[in-house]
């Protein structure tokens, strides 16, 4: 884990709000001049704090109308089975997130597909063929109440950055 100072936290918050901002815009909103802001940004990338830049896409606008939360159980729980399962899940585009969990299921996955028929095909053609899968419990998402990619980064206390007037608190 990397300790973030106030300026780094503000830079990350701004990038998550809008990663298309220029360095000058980020610098202004974080109270830095352009060169130090650029250096901090490059350092955050080098340390692996920033792992990628991406666009958030409305899934329904691109034909992915069904979101499913799938709970999966494996057997046997051998290192080989787990590694093979995780490798195949990582390579499967409809599975957009997968978590190894405690509780009733071994894994919880978020799956995006066109519709219920596509999910049925996906179960039979993909999930049931994954190594070690013994049980799948699927929950269809009726409505997304909150679905964002932003992390709740805590900004250490300090004075407001200069040039932040008119911007919402971060």
């Amino acid at each position: 884990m990397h300790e973030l100072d106030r300026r780094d936290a503000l830079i990350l918050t701004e990038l998550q709000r809008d990663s298309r901002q220029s360095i000058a815009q980020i610098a202004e909103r974080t109270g830095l001049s352009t060169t130090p802001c650029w250096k901090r940004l490059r350092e955050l990338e080098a340390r692996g704090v920033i792992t990628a830049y991406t666009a958030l896409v409305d899934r329904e606008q691109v034909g992915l109308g069904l979101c499913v939360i799938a709970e999966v159980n494996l057997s046997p729980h051998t290192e080989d089975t787990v590694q093979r399962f995780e490798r195949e899940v990582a390579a499967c585009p409809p599975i957009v997130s997968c978590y190894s969990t405690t509780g009733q299921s071994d894994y919880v996955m978020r799956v995006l597909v066109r519709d219920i028929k596509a999910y049925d095909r996906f179960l039979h053609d993909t999930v049931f063929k994954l190594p070690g899968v013994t049980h799948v419990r699927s929950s269809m998402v009726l409505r997304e109440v909150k679905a964002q990619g932003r992390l709740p980064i805590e900004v250490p206390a300090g004075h407001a950055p200069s040039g932040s007037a008119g911007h919402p608190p971060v």
Side-chain angles (χ1 to χ4, degrees):
M1 182 178 123
H2 296 283
E3 216 33 58
L4 297 176
D5 67 13
R6 180 171 174 71
R7 301 293 185 192
D8 289 344
L10 288 169
I11 289 169
L12 293 172
T13 299
E14 277 301 312
L15 281 173
Q16 288 188 114
R17 188 181 64 77
D18 181 3
S19 65
R20 291 180 52 150
Q21 295 180 77
S22 69
I23 295 291
Q25 289 171 312
I26 295 169
E28 178 185 341
R29 288 183 172 94
T30 59
L32 292 167
S33 60
T34 304
T35 300
C37 183
W38 178 83
K39 286 180 179 177
R40 283 176 174 263
L41 187 60
R42 293 299 168 249
E43 177 63 23
L44 290 166
E45 292 169 349
R47 290 179 13 211
V49 177
I50 297 172
T51 59
Y53 294 90
T54 188
L56 298 177
V57 177
D58 183 319
R59 67 178 176 80
E60 292 180 355
Q61 294 288 329
V62 295
L64 298 171
L66 183 63
C67 177
V68 179
I69 305 301
E71 298 176 53
V72 178
N73 289 92
L74 301 184
S75 186
H77 286 106
T78 63
E79 190 64 28
D80 180 60
T81 300
V82 168
Q83 286 179 358
R84 287 179 34 235
F85 173 84
E86 289 181 1
R87 197 170 36 250
E88 290 191 34
V89 164
C92 185
I95 301 172
V96 295
S97 61
C98 180
Y99 304 94
S100 175
T101 61
T102 61
Q104 292 185 355
S105 56
D106 297 320
Y107 292 89
V108 176
M109 304 185 306
R110 184 168 162 249
V111 179
L112 299 179
V113 291
R114 180 170 297 283
D115 54 27
I116 194 71
K117 287 183 180 184
Y119 185 67
D120 184 49
R121 281 190 309 278
F122 176 73
L123 280 175
H124 291 277
D125 296 345
T126 304
V127 177
F128 295 153
K129 294 179 181 177
L130 291 171
V133 171
T134 59
H135 181 78
V136 178
R137 183 175 25 264
S138 301
S139 297
M140 309 302 150
V141 173
L142 299 176
R143 179 172 28 101
E144 290 179 3
V145 176
K146 182 178 182 179
Q148 69 178 36
R150 296 180 189 176
L151 299 179
I153 296 172
E154 186 174 324
V155 178
H159 62 73
S162 61
S164 66
H167 297 290
V170 289

